[in-house]
Amino acid sequence: MGLPAKLVRSQLNFFKPFVANCSLEVTRRGQDKLGELMEAIHRHDVFVRDHDFGLFQGAWIIPKDERRQGVVLYLHGGGYTCGQLGYARILASKLALATGFDVLSFEYRLAPEHPFPAAIEDAVAMWDYLMYMGYGARDVIVAGDSAGGNLALELALKLKEQGRAQPRGLVLFSPWTDMTASGKSYRTCKTLDPMLTMEYIAAVREAYTGPDADWSRPCYSPLFADLRGLPPTLVQVGTNEILKSDSERLVEHLSLIHISEPTRLRCIS
């Protein structure tokens, strides 16, 4: 691990106890401020075109150089309770620069004001928008981090349920695939994870689903869904994350299915 990565991890560990006890309002403001600070990094490398979708706002992130044919539909993380466009543009800009694709990000409706299934309804609406704009399913890569990774999988499962074509691929960063929190990393990485705590996960899970939900249902935990027919998938996760098992078990399940369609897992220290 290089010096910058060590510095970031040490800072995250320092602030972790404070973040764990923050109210939802404070957490949302903090993410917005982080987005404002980080957005300047790629400001001169991409164009940003805001778009009003009625129920929510969105933005196209367009690389200035080496543009390729295709689009990334990016679904931001934040436990289904946080995440505005400023925060989402951090990773959206990186995706645009890494792929050369235009990236569409949007502010899907958040819990607890808009609990399940609002987010998946908004994700399907964005998929429909791209199809209306003339993109084919094979032109679109769906990417998401954390809760956004959960939403990316749920979008693919919803398209499958509707008998529609799958996206070209899925790119998932530390996807939240198991709301039952049954993986071993929820225990082994409890003190190692620089950001998340089980208390946080329990709080946002309840805000999204309600307190009496069956979290093993595939509509909440895509890990337990029938994953046959989903597209090639790349999964990246950190070695110390409590969500590591969510990624590892997802890849195990997908690998048993995808004989010709590759699934890859990359653990990052």
Side-chain angles (χ1 to χ4, degrees):
M1 184 190 302
L3 182 59
K6 288 182 178 179
L7 179 60
V8 169
R9 176 172 292 181
S10 67
Q11 292 296 312
L12 289 172
N13 279 322
F14 175 79
F15 285 109
K16 182 177 177 180
F18 303 100
V19 173
N21 296 314
C22 282
S23 67
L24 179 57
E25 180 182 359
V26 171
T27 302
R28 286 176 174 175
R29 288 206 306 266
Q31 282 199 344
D32 291 346
K33 182 57 65 176
L34 177 63
E36 292 174 11
L37 294 173
M38 295 295 290
E39 192 175 2
I41 295 176
H42 299 302
R43 185 175 297 164
H44 302 295
D45 300 316
V46 297
F47 297 107
V48 178
R49 190 170 73 236
D50 294 327
H51 193 99
D52 185 352
F53 290 99
L55 285 177
F56 46 80
Q57 299 297 307
W60 283 95
I61 314 298
I62 303 168
K64 292 183 177 179
D65 301 314
E66 299 183 19
R67 291 182 63 188
R68 300 183 178 90
Q69 182 63 38
V71 61
V72 176
L73 178 60
Y74 167 56
L75 311 173
H76 67 76
Y80 282 117
T81 62
C82 298
Q84 305 299 321
L85 276 180
Y87 173 75
R89 283 183 190 137
I90 302 170
L91 186 51
S93 296
K94 290 181 178 293
L95 286 168
L97 294 172
T99 63
F101 290 174
D102 295 350
V103 177
L104 176 60
S105 181
F106 64 103
E107 296 178 339
Y108 54 83
R109 290 171 292 167
L110 299 174
E113 297 90 342
H114 303 283
F116 173 87
I120 183 62
E121 290 173 350
D122 294 347
V124 172
M126 284 288 83
W127 181 267
D128 291 343
Y129 165 77
L130 288 174
M131 298 304 103
Y132 175 79
M133 292 295 294
Y135 291 99
R138 300 298 291 179
D139 298 324
V140 183
I141 294 172
V142 178
D145 61 296
S146 194
N150 179 294
L151 186 54
L153 287 163
E154 294 295 351
L155 172 59
L157 290 168
K158 181 61 69 173
L159 294 174
K160 174 186 170 182
E161 177 187 312
Q162 296 174 349
R164 303 172 68 180
Q166 289 289 309
R168 179 174 176 178
L170 301 177
V171 178
L172 310 176
F173 306 101
S174 308
W176 187 20
T177 68
D178 176 16
M179 288 196 182
T180 71
S182 58
K184 65 179 182 180
S185 60
Y186 284 91
R187 301 181 302 276
T188 59
C189 296
K190 180 179 180 180
T191 61
L192 299 175
D193 192 303
M195 291 184 64
L196 298 184
T197 66
M198 189 57 219
E199 291 76 15
Y200 169 81
I201 287 178
V204 298
R205 177 180 64 185
E206 181 172 330
Y208 179 60
T209 69
D212 301 319
D214 177 1
W215 293 307
S216 66
R217 291 179 60 196
C219 62
Y220 302 135
S221 298
L223 179 66
F224 306 124
D226 179 358
L227 301 173
R228 288 174 294 183
L230 266 62
T233 303
L234 171 66
V235 183
Q236 294 190 348
V237 68
T239 55
N240 292 333
E241 294 188 56
I242 62 176
L243 294 180
K244 182 172 69 171
S245 292
D246 286 38
S247 291
E248 293 175 333
R249 296 166 72 195
L250 173 68
V251 169
E252 288 174 6
H253 291 192
L254 287 171
S255 296
L256 294 175
I257 298 167
H258 287 173
I259 298 175
S260 60
E261 300 285 5
T263 301
R264 297 188 177 91
L265 171 68
R266 182 186 178 199
C267 288
I268 305 170
S269 300

